[in-house]
Amino acid sequence: MTKVKLDDIDLQILAHLQTDGRMTNVDLARQVGISAPPCLRRVRALEESGYIRGYHAEVDAESLGFEVTVFAMVGLASQAESDLVAFEERVRAMPLVRECWMLNGEIDFILKIVARDLAEFQSFLTRELTPAPNVASVKTSFTIRNGKHEPGVPFGLPPRAPRAR
Amino acid sequence: MTKVKLDDIDLQILAHLQTDGRMTNVDLARQVGISAPPCLRRVRALEESGYIRGYHAEVDAESLGFEVTVFAMVGLASQAESDLVAFEERVRAMPLVRECWMLNGEIDFILKIVARDLAEFQSFLTRELTPAPNVASVKTSFTIRNGKHEPGVPFGLPPRAPRAR
DNA sequence: GGTGAAAAGAGGGTTCT
DNA sequence: AGAACCCTCTTTTCACC
């Protein structure tokens, strides 16, 4: 199931799809220098072996009315593995929490939270996050603006022309 | 050019494409309950008005050999707007920096950094980030694991989003 | 990996409400 | 205006070499 090795073409495919996840298979094949059918076979294999976890439209949060993005640093009272997992599970059920990373050091988790407005965020913070079991401390930092937002991983793909359909 | 208002169907389209950015237009049309051509027109309008900023494959960083994800809290010596912008510009040219958010409070920026290994990260930190102009302090937190990774915005629960059918 | 062909989807034009 | 039906061209996705 898991592919043992990726060659240059696979890496190029991944880089291109990370940049433009909706490009057609024929365009992709042309870009990486092979014909469409083997290209599609590679993409399917990359999907099934888990190298590609999914495809997502990147939406503009602000213009859609989600004007509050906050990073929350969370400390837990107990760091037993079962308690860490329990917190992650709980956080997974909170739609406003978009990302959750476990950290080393004094802070246990960093959460990226997206809300429509301050009221929604405050309500979430005081009624859901802070009172959650085992939560010892929550320190929040509001984002003022986003200076860079690149997906995934630094493949180092050269700048690409817009789509040709 | 810029759409003034989004109706329920537009919101459903955005939610579906955020979840599966590669679904075909006919599938999407079926899901939101309209026929394919107007559905495609809506998608194009959403792209051109900036509600959809792009489409990206979500790749598995670890299995691709990017084993180090770090959050860096950066403080600048000068917070003049021109200096903030200059820092953002500089960071935009650093491939290892995937996201950069300006924050309120004592920390000025939070950066998400992805590297292949510790050596690559250390080299980046000591040779690129810390010596960058105007950087006063850098505090890094290594991630141990990722507990949740959802794209974009919490459409999921409808605060008032009705169901068209 | 490439080739050729059947099936499916994209995108344009027109009509209807 | 905006949505739906029809039509043609492109893309996807098989078969097999």
Side-chain angles (χ1 to χ4, degrees):
Chain A
M1 173 172 151
T2 301
K3 213 166 179 178
V4 237
K5 194 173 135 357
L6 299 178
D7 63 14
D8 288 345
I9 295 179
D10 290 316
L11 292 175
Q12 283 184 63
I13 288 173
L14 289 167
H16 276 100
L17 286 179
Q18 181 174 268
T19 303
D20 179 4
R22 220 172 153 77
M23 78 193 299
T24 68
N25 183 59
V26 291
D27 273 357
L28 180 59
R30 200 170 10 237
Q31 292 281 338
V32 304
I34 61 178
S35 67
C39 184
L40 184 63
R41 278 196 291 267
R42 280 166 181 268
V43 172
R44 294 281 174 269
L46 290 169
E47 289 168 358
E48 277 168 34
S49 53
Y51 290 109
I52 295 175
R53 302 168 63 96
Y55 302 89
H56 308 286
E58 180 191 353
V59 304
D60 188 77
E62 291 215 5
S63 65
L64 288 168
F66 294 86
E67 294 180 349
V68 176
T69 297
V70 180
F71 284 91
M73 270 59 92
V74 177
L76 299 188
S78 156
Q79 280 94 10
E81 174 62 15
S82 61
D83 293 318
L84 297 173
V85 171
F87 179 75
E88 287 177 320
E89 297 255 345
R90 195 171 188 97
V91 137
R92 234 171 266 136
M94 301 174 176
L96 268 59
V97 177
R98 308 311 289 168
E99 293 183 40
C100 166
W101 296 84
M102 192 188 298
L103 300 179
N104 70 345
E106 56 201 65
I107 296 159
D108 294 313
F109 289 94
I110 188 167
L111 273 45
K112 191 205 279 184
I113 297 162
V114 173
R116 290 194 146 78
D117 49 39
L118 215 61
E120 190 182 52
F121 171 72
Q122 292 288 13
S123 164
F124 165 78
L125 184 65
T126 59
R127 292 186 204 167
E128 284 195 73
L129 186 59
T130 307
N134 197 29
V135 168
S137 70
V138 179
K139 238 188 71 178
T140 58
S141 285
F142 284 76
T143 62
I144 295 172
R145 66 177 187 236
N146 180 251
K148 179 171 184 174
H149 199 284
E150 290 294 310
V153 142
F155 284 118
L157 179 72
R160 228 178 49 72
R163 80 180 45 173
R165 289 226 169 184
Chain B
M1 185 179 84
T2 300
K3 214 163 178 176
V4 238
K5 199 175 133 13
L6 299 178
D7 63 14
D8 292 342
I9 295 179
D10 291 317
L11 292 174
Q12 284 184 61
I13 287 174
L14 289 166
H16 276 102
L17 286 179
Q18 181 175 265
T19 302
D20 179 4
R22 224 175 149 75
M23 79 193 299
T24 69
N25 182 60
V26 292
D27 273 358
L28 180 59
R30 202 171 9 240
Q31 293 280 338
V32 304
I34 62 177
S35 68
C39 183
L40 185 63
R41 273 196 291 274
R42 282 167 179 267
V43 173
R44 293 282 175 270
L46 291 168
E47 290 169 357
E48 277 168 32
S49 53
Y51 290 109
I52 295 176
R53 302 169 63 97
Y55 302 90
H56 309 285
E58 180 191 353
V59 304
D60 189 76
E62 291 216 7
S63 66
L64 287 169
F66 294 85
E67 294 180 349
V68 175
T69 298
V70 180
F71 284 91
M73 270 61 91
V74 177
L76 298 188
S78 155
Q79 280 93 12
E81 173 63 15
S82 61
D83 293 318
L84 298 172
V85 170
F87 179 75
E88 289 176 319
E89 298 255 344
R90 195 169 189 97
V91 136
R92 234 172 266 137
M94 300 174 177
L96 269 59
V97 177
R98 308 312 288 168
E99 292 183 42
C100 166
W101 296 84
M102 193 188 297
L103 301 179
N104 70 345
E106 56 200 67
I107 296 160
D108 293 312
F109 289 95
I110 188 167
L111 272 45
K112 191 205 278 185
I113 297 161
V114 173
R116 291 194 142 81
D117 50 39
L118 215 59
E120 191 183 51
F121 171 71
Q122 293 287 12
S123 164
F124 165 78
L125 183 65
T126 57
R127 291 185 204 168
E128 284 196 71
L129 186 58
T130 306
N134 197 28
V135 168
S137 70
V138 180
K139 239 189 71 178
T140 59
S141 285
F142 284 75
T143 62
I144 295 172
R145 66 179 187 232
N146 179 251
K148 179 171 184 173
H149 199 284
E150 291 294 310
V153 143
F155 285 117
L157 67 163
R160 236 158 255 89
R163 190 149 241 85
R165 232 222 85 103

